Amino acid sequence: MDEVDELRGLLRKMEARPRTVLCVCGSRSLEGGHGEKWGRHKVEEVYRQTFDPHRDIVLTGGASGPDVWARELLPWPGRLVEYLPSGVRLEWVAREYRDWGLRQGRWSDTAVHPLARNEALCAGLVNSRNAGWKVGVICLIDPRSRTQGTRHMARLCREAKLAVLEWHFQ
């Protein structure tokens, strides 16, 4: 193989590699009623305006509410990775039209507190950024949330100098 063929191979690999990791997180208290309608609209809007389903990856914490909506609304043939508090890592990968394959692994050997999961998600985003990917974090915040886990995630990501967009439900 000559240098030109080697360069072509490298360019093909680069084109196939996702270019953006988009983290979608939000308050579980948004589930149901106006909060859910508002939140689903925000996720759809982000996907429509910024997401390339052929090259980008969505990352969530796998919680109810916005994390689930991110999976349900994922444009075909997108990829989505979930870090569950149980330590399980799920990767949803397109197989055939609207048919998702599921790969399962672990990101932690033990179950962890949801705020520790936020730290793992943030660390994964920082690693992606350091590997040359664009990284964005979308936070759908309900001020009435008892746990304020989404605010915690936003703070961690801002401290890590990641691009964070916060939307607050009224």
Side-chain angles (χ1 to χ4, degrees), residues 53-86:
H54 297 281
R55 296 180 66 190
D56 297 344
I57 294 176
V58 173
L59 180 66
T60 77
S64 59
D67 296 26
V68 170
W69 308 334
R71 183 180 67 239
E72 291 174 349
L73 299 169
L74 185 67
W76 181 260
R79 281 175 56 194
L80 181 131
V81 176
E82 295 177 304
Y83 280 42
L84 305 181
S86 62

Side-chain angles (χ1 to χ4, degrees), residues 141-157:
I141 296 175
D142 183 354
R144 300 165 298 153
S145 168
R146 288 179 293 124
T147 63
Q148 296 299 314
T150 305
R151 286 185 196 268
H152 174 258
M153 180 66 175
R155 182 180 54 76
L156 288 174
C157 291

Side-chain angles (χ1 to χ4, degrees), residues 29-170:
S29 58
L30 291 171
E31 271 192 303
H34 295 297
E36 183 164 341
K37 183 177 178 181
W38 171 83
R40 283 180 175 272
H41 173 75
K42 291 297 186 188
V43 171
E44 287 176 326
E45 186 178 326
V46 167
Y47 283 162
R48 194 172 43 255
Q49 292 180 12
T50 67
F51 189 73
D52 179 347
H54 297 281
R55 296 180 66 190
D56 297 344
I57 294 176
V58 173
L59 180 66
T60 77
S64 59
D67 296 26
V68 170
W69 308 334
R71 183 180 67 239
E72 291 174 349
L73 299 169
L74 185 67
W76 181 260
R79 281 175 56 194
L80 181 131
V81 176
E82 295 177 304
Y83 280 42
L84 305 181
S86 62
V88 171
R89 179 184 184 274
L90 301 176
E91 183 176 355
W92 299 87
V93 182
R95 290 191 303 209
E96 296 178 24
Y97 185 70
R98 302 310 292 170
D99 179 23
W100 304 98
L102 181 62
R103 292 186 215 158
Q104 186 170 327
R106 298 206 60 86
W107 66 270
S108 173
D109 291 333
T110 61
V112 298
H113 189 278
L115 296 185
R117 176 191 51 198
N118 285 354
E119 292 168 3
L121 285 166
C122 185
L125 292 166
V126 168
N127 289 340
S128 295
R129 179 194 60 202
N130 293 345
W133 297 14
K134 296 181 203 171
V135 174
V137 183
I138 306 300
C139 299
L140 304 175
I141 296 175
D142 183 354
R144 300 165 298 153
S145 168
R146 288 179 293 124
T147 63
Q148 296 299 314
T150 305
R151 286 185 196 268
H152 174 258
M153 180 66 175
R155 182 180 54 76
L156 288 174
C157 291
R158 277 194 310 274
E159 288 172 357
K161 307 286 190 254
L162 298 173
V164 177
L165 176 59
E166 292 183 31
W167 276 311
H168 297 261
F169 180 66
Q170 302 299 322

